[in-house]
Each structure stands twice: as C-alpha cells, then as structure tokens.
Amino acid sequence: MDFEKIRKLKERCTLRRDIIKEFLAELLGTFVLILFGCGSVAQSVLSRGPQGENLTIHFGFTLGVMLAVYMAGGVSGGHVNPAVSLAMTVLGKLPLIKFPVYVAAQFLGAFLGSCAVFCLYYDAFTDFSGGNLTVTGDNATAGIFASYPRKNLNLFNGFIDQVIGTGALVLCILAIVDKRNIGAPRGLEPLVIGLSIMAIAVSMSLNCGYPINPARDLGPRLFTAMAGWGKEVFSAGDGWWWVPVVGPMVGGVVGAVIYYLMIELHHPEPEKNFEDDRSVKDKYEMNAVN
C-alpha cells in the first residue's frame, strides 16, 4: 500500500511539459557552472594566493562547464550559455520559442550560483576587506563574480576579444556534437567541451578573463550590485558591463555561421537505399497489374 502511494505521489510530482524540464535543467546546469567556476576564483582571491592561482581557476571553470553539461545535457542539451542557445537557434537546432526560456533559466541559474558562492565564503569576504565590498583597488572582490578589463584595454578591443573567444567556443561545440563529422564518442561530449574551455582559458584570458557567456557575467554582476558592491559594477572600466553580454552573442552567431558555411553545409547527403526504392516500385507495379 505504501509503495502504491509513493508511486502515485511520484506520478503527481513528475513534470509533463518538456519546456519546464528544460528550464530547470538549464537553471541547475548554470548554477553548477557558477558554483565551481566563481567558487574557484573566490578561493584564489580570498586566500590571497595559497589556495589558488590562474591555473586552478581555469580548472574550476573547465570542470564546472563539463559537469554542468553532463547534468543538463540529456534534458536540454546543456547549453548553459545564451550565446550557445542563440547559435543553436540560428542554425535551427533550437526552436525560437524556446530561446527566451533557456536564456531566462541561464541568467537565473547564474544569479543563484553567485548567491551560493557568496554564502559559502561570507566570513572570508568580511575578513578579506574588513566588510568593505569594493570593485576596484587592492582589496577588490567584485572580480570574483564578473569580468573587468585589464588596464589600458579599450572597449572595442574587449568587444573583439569576446567575439573571437565565443566564436571559437561555438565552433568547437558544433564540431564536437556534429555526428557527420568525427565528433566525440557518445557520453564524452561534455568532457571535450570542457577541454575547449581550457584551451580558451590558457590562450585568451589576458584581456578580461574569458567570460564568453552573457549569463555567467551579467547574472553575477547583478548579484554584486544588489549584495553591496553597488552601481559601480556597471560603471567600472568605462561602462564595461555590456561588452561581455553583447560580444558573446555576436561571437556565437559568427561561429555558428562560419561552421555551417565551411563544414556543415558541405556534408554529403545520406545515401538512399536504392534496393528498397526498387522493391517499393516493383510492389506498386505488381499491384497495378493485378
């Protein structure tokens, strides 16, 4: 009797609509990405070095992306990035009606992930700067959550940085999941996508730290604005905040178009089985004669 009640309760709680399942998968996947990624930055910054460095941060985001895609991939595709969702929409791999749902889930997941990191290291934040949450200076901690440009980097160069970095990411993702190309073995796609993040991290992080994900940057930035860092998170770096939002969206589309025009468009069409076609034709002629 108890088992029957449990079964009925499970049936009542099970979601029926795919779009809701996909929303939750993208939300949770992006949450995990921020928890591990920004968590690795927090550990490095707040310990002032002994508990982390650039390489550990690269590993944090690499593993964060890999685990996020493993978590959400079977339900929603594991985009965890609005730029990737836009690229898939442009290529017709994601229905347009689902695009805003994916983006909303990704931004919400990134925001909640930032909340989790802040709660995890709340005492460390207080100890690090005496309770002063600053955006710039020696004790700045806003960079734990969102990207800020290095000194002397202008907005245009930063924009190009994000277009190229995100374009490279989308190119790699499309190649990895393209079953008519070499692709990656089934089940290993998230691992190889994570390695793509590592490749970008060790080669394109000098300018602003490879955000290449509007949700990963703007979601945590909104959190810092509300949690005590203030409006300076939007004015710092000559109003830098829009660059890691718009740049990746443009880069995602550019990467998708390049891959389609140079690779996917030229895949040979699947060969038709002429024997089956002939068999159907013979059967038709036989029925016509009869």
Side-chain angles (χ1 to χ4, degrees):
M1 184 63 180
D2 291 337
F3 289 107
E4 184 64 20
K5 290 182 179 180
I6 293 174
R7 186 184 65 80
K8 290 182 179 179
L9 179 63
K10 180 181 177 182
E11 288 179 354
R12 291 177 182 177
C13 295
T14 300
L15 295 173
R16 298 291 192 274
R17 300 186 62 181
D18 289 341
I19 191 64
I20 300 177
K21 298 176 187 177
E22 292 163 7
F23 177 90
L24 294 176
E26 287 294 312
L27 188 156
L28 185 59
T30 313
F31 174 89
V32 168
L33 164 59
I34 298 301
L35 181 64
F36 289 122
C38 291
S40 67
V41 183
Q43 181 168 287
S44 177
V45 171
L46 298 177
S47 68
R48 299 188 187 273
Q51 297 298 317
E53 56 180 353
N54 285 342
L55 188 58
T56 62
I57 293 172
H58 298 338
F59 273 112
F61 277 105
T62 295
L63 296 173
V65 169
M66 181 189 74
L67 295 172
V69 178
Y70 267 121
M71 190 169 296
V75 180
S76 66
H79 296 177
V80 298
N81 184 338
V84 174
S85 297
L86 180 59
M88 296 302 180
T89 302
V90 169
L91 294 177
K93 301 178 186 293
L94 177 71
L96 179 60
I97 194 172
K98 290 186 177 182
F99 175 69
V101 177
Y102 274 52
V103 172
Q106 292 154 3
F107 275 103
L108 181 58
F111 185 91
L112 295 177
S114 302
C115 294
V117 172
F118 186 67
C119 292
L120 178 66
Y121 287 117
Y122 180 80
D123 286 342
F125 274 103
T126 302
D127 180 67
F128 182 82
S129 57
N132 296 317
L133 303 176
T134 57
V135 178
T136 58
D138 294 336
N139 291 328
T141 49
I144 289 173
F145 297 97
S147 70
Y148 294 88
R150 70 177 179 84
K151 188 177 180 180
N152 299 325
L153 178 71
N154 63 56
L155 295 181
F156 179 74
N157 193 176
F159 182 82
I160 296 300
D161 174 281
Q162 288 304 284
V163 171
I164 293 175
T166 313
L169 173 64
V170 169
L171 281 172
C172 293
I173 290 174
L174 291 175
I176 291 166
V177 301
D178 188 354
K179 298 307 179 184
R180 292 194 290 173
N181 204 331
I182 294 176
R186 182 173 177 79
L188 293 182
E189 296 94 340
L191 172 62
V192 186
I193 290 172
L195 292 176
S196 301
I197 297 294
M198 176 62 79
I200 293 171
V202 299
S203 61
M204 304 183 194
S205 61
L206 173 63
N207 286 332
C208 55
Y210 65 100
I212 59 175
N213 183 336
R216 170 262 174 277
D217 197 87
L218 184 57
R221 194 181 301 273
L222 288 170
F223 168 77
T224 54
M226 297 170 62
W229 281 266
K231 296 179 180 179
E232 190 181 355
V233 299
F234 293 104
S235 61
D238 295 326
W240 166 262
W241 70 271
W242 66 270
V243 175
V245 176
V246 179
M249 300 300 276
V250 174
V253 173
V254 170
V257 171
I258 289 175
Y259 188 84
Y260 179 78
L261 292 178
M262 300 188 72
I263 302 293
E264 190 171 336
L265 179 64
H266 310 292
H267 284 323
E269 292 294 328
E271 294 183 3
K272 293 183 178 180
N273 192 328
F274 292 104
E275 292 184 0
D276 290 346
D277 290 348
R278 183 62 186 172
S279 177
V280 172
K281 183 178 179 181
D282 290 345
K283 290 179 180 178
Y284 173 78
E285 291 178 348
M286 186 178 296
N287 289 336
V289 170
N290 291 337

